[in-house]
Amino acid sequence: MPEQTGLLQGKTALIFGVANDRSIAWGIAQAFHQHGAKIGLSYASPALERRVKPLAEQLGSAFVEECDVASDEHIQRVAEKAAQTYGEIDILVHSIGFADRNELTGPYYNTSRAGFHLAMDISVYSFTALAKAFQPFLRPGGALLTLTYYGSEKVSPNYNVMGVAKAALEASVRYLAYDFGSHGVRVNAISAGPIRTLASQGVSGFKTMYRRFAEIAPLHENISIEDVGGTAVYLCSNLAAKTTGQVVFVDSGYNILGIPEPVE
Ligand code: NAD
């Protein structure tokens, strides 16, 4: 591991959403660790425990807790356990999203009522629910962070209900930033370009889109979980002390384009 530069020295961070070593949450956890943060991890279901525990060990983290964010009891339990373990928390990262695979292909108008509710519950409401549960334990100067995608602003074929969910998530970031401002806690989102992870594999046509992305984006490079980790460190550190309610793009500049140049 590179030498610690300590932008997050003395801070405690809880990171939700590590499924494996390709998860964006894992890129963030590693970057936080390199910058001196104490890390706790949370994963969705018992099946993931055997993957997440060894990753936590790499960071010297003993706090590894299951939390299905569909359950208020799980969320409350993990918040109380974190408070018992650490006292106050400085940083909370929400790197969680879910929609049924059937909803991520074909026309958006085919979205089912149940599929819409599920995507909204897991991908949007859970950030607000975590913010509420952790609110009593957040230290002033702290930061909340979530992950979003440009499909919230512009149509990204097949992204469908997840695009609508990300739009709602970004609106939640602004409302939460307003609420938490008076506690001295900042709330931001990173809008990442496409990265090959478990979640992105569920979106129909992702592979082709991923390939074309680097050809089109101004920097002509795909995004890595390390790239997202670096921006997450900045946003959750004191360097970003006056930045809240923002969506920060880590996308090789893709979002500035109007009409992409045709690829020869
Ligand atoms: P991932 O599959 O590694 O992470 C998604 C996580 O959500 C997993 O850890 C999964 O266990 C968790 N999750 C799903 N349902 C849950 C539940 N009920 N309770 C608790 N956790 C649950 O994929 P990722 O790409 O790292 O996704 C992380 C975030 O980044 C998501 O919000 C995703 O939308 C966003 N994002 C991803 C990309 C990309 O291209 N991969 C781009 C922009 C934004």
Side-chain angles (χ1 to χ4, degrees):
M1 293 241 168
E3 200 181 323
Q4 296 197 347
T5 48
L7 281 175
L8 301 179
Q9 206 75 47
K11 292 190 191 282
T12 300
L14 280 196
I15 301 177
F16 288 74
V18 177
N20 56 37
D21 62 3
R22 306 185 82 163
S23 294
I24 292 175
W26 176 238
I28 294 173
Q30 285 177 294
F32 279 12
H33 177 68
Q34 284 160 14
H35 282 271
K38 206 184 291 171
I39 314 277
L41 297 182
S42 175
Y43 57 93
S45 64
L48 292 175
E49 186 178 350
R50 71 186 171 83
R51 283 193 199 281
V52 178
K53 280 234 155 112
L55 294 175
E57 274 165 29
Q58 287 184 35
L59 308 181
S61 169
F63 189 95
V64 194
E65 292 295 319
E66 182 194 334
C67 178
D68 176 355
V69 295
S71 157
D72 288 332
E73 290 75 37
H74 276 218
I75 290 175
Q76 200 50 42
R77 196 176 61 211
V78 81
E80 281 164 16
K81 183 126 194 230
Q84 277 163 20
T85 309
Y86 298 117
E88 288 182 307
I89 312 286
D90 300 286
I91 301 168
L92 191 123
V93 176
H94 171 272
S95 186
I96 290 174
F98 186 79
D100 195 287
R101 238 189 149 88
N102 299 332
E103 309 291 359
L104 303 175
T105 187
Y108 169 67
Y109 61 68
N110 280 339
T111 306
S112 70
R113 193 180 294 273
F116 189 91
H117 286 164
L118 182 64
M120 286 288 170
D121 188 23
I122 306 302
S123 314
V124 185
Y125 180 71
S126 64
F127 186 46
T128 303
L130 285 171
K132 181 178 181 193
F134 278 88
Q135 188 268 328
F137 315 123
L138 289 171
R139 207 191 316 272
L144 311 185
L145 182 69
T146 188
L147 271 298
T148 185
Y149 178 61
Y150 191 45
S152 62
E153 288 184 38
K154 304 286 178 194
V155 174
S156 184
N158 300 311
Y159 199 57
N160 296 351
V161 70
M162 276 306 291
V164 176
K166 292 303 193 191
L169 180 67
E170 291 171 19
S172 296
V173 165
R174 292 185 282 274
Y175 278 88
L176 291 170
Y178 178 78
D179 290 347
F180 278 85
S182 48
H183 304 263
V185 171
R186 299 174 299 102
V187 186
N188 291 293
I190 291 176
S191 185
I195 302 177
R196 282 195 283 214
T197 61
L198 265 185
S200 62
Q201 274 167 25
V203 183
S204 186
F206 177 84
K207 259 194 200 150
T208 314
M209 191 268 267
Y210 178 88
R211 246 197 340 268
R212 291 206 57 211
F213 184 87
E215 293 165 4
I216 295 169
L219 290 175
H220 296 296
E221 280 193 82
N222 276 105
I223 314 307
S224 69
I225 62 172
E226 288 76 20
D227 294 326
V228 179
T231 299
V233 168
Y234 156 68
L235 282 173
C236 295
S237 78
N238 298 342
L239 291 181
K242 298 295 185 293
T243 298
T244 195
Q246 301 303 307
V247 176
V248 176
F249 283 92
V250 179
D251 70 342
S252 287
Y254 187 91
N255 75 92
I256 66 168
L257 295 173
I259 300 173
E261 241 180 321
V263 178
E264 297 302 321

